[in-house]
Amino acid sequence: MIETILVPVDGSAPAQEAVRYTQTVFPDANITLLTVIDPADGFAGYSGDDDGSWEKQAKAEAESLLKDAQAEFMSPEKIRTSVVVGDPVETIIATVKNEDIDQVIMGSHGRDGIQRLLVGSVAEQVMRKAPAPVTITR
């Protein structure tokens, strides 16, 4: 029986679809919404010095994303949220292991060809490495 679900949220349309799918199919599960801030993937887009202010800005944006995703659920107060700075794949896998997650539900951008080779697929890597079933939505 699926009791605990992890839903990675990045603000994309596929991630929003994963949230909707989770809410529809597993309305009574214990759900954790997770946003991973990858410092290697764009922290330069934030203003500020090297004093960590980019991280504060990124966390504030991530918390806003999570609040919006949390509002999609019938009982938003039951939904746990988490913001972590790190590698997305490693962080998702560690969360699955450390929090005894039964199921991961995540969106995929559906990249293919050269774009997939260059960018990679977090969803694909999680699917291969996760110690729990992974459902990918699009």
Side-chain angles (χ1 to χ4, degrees):
M1 184 168 182
I2 297 174
E3 294 181 14
T4 58
I5 297 174
L6 176 67
V7 183
V9 175
D10 65 3
S12 68
Q16 292 170 344
E17 182 57 35
V19 168
R20 282 191 289 277
Y21 175 86
T22 303
Q23 193 277 326
T24 302
V25 177
F26 300 100
D28 298 324
N30 295 314
I31 297 167
T32 298
L33 302 174
L34 170 70
T35 295
V36 182
I37 300 168
D38 186 354
D41 187 35
F43 69 87
Y46 295 97
S47 63
D49 301 321
D50 284 338
D51 63 356
S53 62
W54 72 267
E55 190 174 334
K56 291 175 190 168
Q57 292 175 11
K59 284 184 177 181
E61 287 181 22
E63 288 169 3
S64 177
L65 282 175
L66 290 171
K67 185 175 181 180
D68 290 345
Q70 188 177 23
E72 293 284 325
F73 291 88
M74 302 288 269
S75 300
E77 66 280 352
K78 291 176 52 179
I79 308 303
R80 186 176 165 279
T81 62
S82 178
V83 176
V84 178
V85 176
D87 176 81
V89 174
E90 291 176 12
T91 302
I92 293 167
I93 299 302
T95 302
V96 171
K97 291 177 181 176
N98 296 337
E99 297 187 18
D100 199 27
I101 299 292
D102 296 322
Q103 175 89 29
V104 178
I105 300 175
M106 62 190 303
S108 173
H109 293 276
R111 294 183 180 107
D112 59 7
I114 192 73
Q115 188 178 24
R116 181 171 168 207
L117 289 174
L118 294 174
V119 178
S121 171
V122 171
E124 181 179 358
Q125 290 181 57
V126 169
M127 184 178 65
R128 291 175 189 259
K129 297 177 181 179
V134 178
T135 299
I136 299 174
T137 62
R138 285 180 56 178

